[in-house]
Amino acid sequence: MADVWLSSLLTSSPQEGFELAIKLARMGVKYTQPSAEVRDRLRPQYGEDAAALIASSQVVAINFQTIAAANGYWRDVR
């Protein structure tokens, strides 16, 4: 995975920051399991597992905390 897709954590709004947090979580899964076939096969299992969905939400929340801090919590709230 040599493609550079993350050039900055800076975003113009909290909404963009949250979307970036989701992208980070998704890319983390993609780097961990590079096979799209395997990811597609596993998706129905974790998509119906409440604990797995909560864990996914926790990853997004942690990513969002990181992005919010990098953005100075959106520079004194616009």
Side-chain angles (χ1 to χ4, degrees):
M1 301 211 131
D3 294 337
V4 176
W5 60 271
L6 181 62
S7 59
S8 177
L9 292 179
L10 300 180
T11 64
S12 63
S13 69
Q15 178 71 37
E16 285 184 17
F18 188 73
E19 290 169 8
L20 179 56
I22 293 169
K23 172 94 174 171
L24 286 170
R26 293 179 64 120
M27 292 301 288
V29 170
K30 187 175 180 181
Y31 274 70
T32 303
Q33 178 45 263
S35 170
E37 181 181 318
V38 171
R39 291 192 312 270
D40 289 344
R41 189 173 68 242
L42 294 174
R43 188 169 288 123
Q45 294 171 20
Y46 67 76
E48 297 289 327
D49 181 343
L53 294 171
I54 290 168
S56 297
S57 294
Q58 289 172 326
V59 170
V60 172
I62 292 166
N63 290 341
F64 186 61
Q65 286 176 326
T66 301
I67 293 163
N71 281 279
Y73 303 97
W74 286 275
R75 300 170 244 350
D76 301 322
V77 184
R78 298 175 189 193

